[in-house]
Amino acid sequence: METKNGLFDCFFTYGEKIVVEKSKIIYAPDNKAQTDSLYYLESGLVALMSYSRGGEERVYLYMKGPRIISFMTLLLSVTNSQEITGNVVPSHLVQMTKTRCILHRMQGSTFRKLLDEDLRFNRLMLQATAANFQEVLSHFQQALEDSASVRLCRLLLDFYVVKDGKKVLPKTMSFLEMSKYLGTHPVTVSRIVAILKKDGCIVKEQGSVIIQDEKRLLQMIENGIDIK
C-alpha cells in the first residue's frame, strides 16, 4: 500500500478520506456529483458492473486497492475534440463497493487543475489508464481462452487478503458472486471449489475460503487444468 509520501500522495493532500460500507454505488453515469469525482481506493473491493433489463447484476471487473478508480469520464471530459475521443458511447456501467472500502475522493476541479499544472500527476493518470486498459484486455482474453477452473483459481489468488497470517477470500465472494464474474453457473463454481478442497488447495473456515496451497493453484493456472 502506498503511503502519503508515495505515488498517490496527491490524493492524501487534495482528497477527502471517506469510508464506504459494502453494497454502495460510488459511481453512476447519471449522477453528476459522482461523475465529477475520482477516487484513490486505499483498501477494499469495488465491482465494475451493470444491471440487465431484468435487474440481474453483471460483474465485468473487480478492482482491488490500492488503485485509482472512477476517472475515465473526467478524463474524457477534459477535451471535447471529436478527433481525440471519436464516437465514444456513454457507458451505463456503475461501480459498487463489494466490501467495506477506504477511499480518498478528489473533486473534478482539483483533478483538472492538477492535469494543467502537475507533470507527475499526468504521468500517474497515464499509468492508471494504461493499467486499467491492460487489465480489461487480460480479463476479456481469459474469458475467451481459459477454462472456468483456471479463471476461478486466478480469482482466488487475485483477491485474497491476508488476515491473521491467513490468505482469506472476502466473504462477499460467494459462489453466486464468483459465478457472475466468471460467467458461469453457481453449481459449476461449487463443484470446482469442492475439488480444490479435496486436493488441499483451499479450506473453508467459518464461512470463508482460505488459500492453503498457493503454489498448487499457480501450477493449475500455468498448466491450464480443466476441472470437470
Side-chain angles (χ1 to χ4, degrees), residues 10-19 38-40 102-107:
C10 54
F11 283 89
F12 292 94
T13 302
Y14 300 107
E16 170 196 9
K17 183 177 180 178
I18 59 174
V19 178
L38 70 157
Y39 301 91
Y40 164 57
I102 298 176
L103 303 115
H104 297 262
R105 179 170 56 201
M106 181 185 289
Q107 297 298 326

Side-chain angles (χ1 to χ4, degrees), residues 13 40 48 59 63 65 78 88 91 96 124 151 153 160 165 168 182 199 213:
T13 302
Y40 164 57
L48 181 66
V59 177
M63 298 175 288
V78 170
V88 178
S91 172
M96 175 187 284
L124 175 63
R151 288 183 287 128
C153 289
Y160 74 73
V168 184
L182 298 173
D199 287 347
D213 193 340

Side-chain angles (χ1 to χ4, degrees), residues 90-226:
S91 172
H92 297 289
L93 301 179
V94 301
Q95 294 180 19
M96 175 187 284
T97 57
K98 287 295 182 178
T99 64
R100 185 174 184 266
C101 294
I102 298 176
L103 303 115
H104 297 262
R105 179 170 56 201
M106 181 185 289
Q107 297 298 326
S109 56
T110 303
F111 170 80
R112 288 183 284 271
K113 187 174 187 294
L114 288 172
L115 277 184
D116 286 340
E117 300 176 357
D118 191 329
L119 179 59
R120 188 167 180 262
F121 184 75
N122 275 268
R123 288 173 177 165
L124 175 63
M125 297 312 303
L126 184 61
Q127 290 168 355
T129 303
N132 285 359
F133 181 66
Q134 181 62 47
E135 185 174 4
V136 170
L137 284 180
S138 295
H139 182 63
F140 180 69
Q141 180 185 17
Q142 291 159 11
L144 291 176
E145 298 180 2
D146 291 341
S147 66
S149 309
V150 168
R151 288 183 287 128
L152 178 54
C153 289
R154 187 176 283 112
L155 183 152
L156 293 173
L157 295 180
D158 283 348
F159 297 110
Y160 74 73
V161 295
V162 178
K163 186 181 297 183
D164 298 327
K166 298 179 180 180
K167 297 171 181 177
V168 184
L169 196 69
K171 286 188 177 181
T172 188
M173 287 289 187
S174 63
F175 291 167
L176 178 60
E177 189 72 31
M178 288 190 280
S179 69
K180 292 175 185 176
Y181 185 62
L182 298 173
T184 187
H185 198 279
V187 173
T188 302
V189 173
S190 178
R191 184 178 70 250
I192 296 171
V193 167
I195 295 174
L196 293 177
K197 286 172 59 181
K198 184 179 179 181
D199 287 347
C201 296
I202 60 175
V203 295
K204 288 200 75 175
E205 295 180 5
Q206 299 179 341
S208 295
V209 173
I210 313 293
I211 309 297
Q212 288 282 93
D213 193 340
E214 186 172 354
K215 184 177 179 180
R216 173 62 177 152
L217 290 173
L218 284 169
Q219 289 174 342
M220 295 174 75
I221 293 170
E222 291 169 1
N223 294 332
I225 192 167
D226 188 6

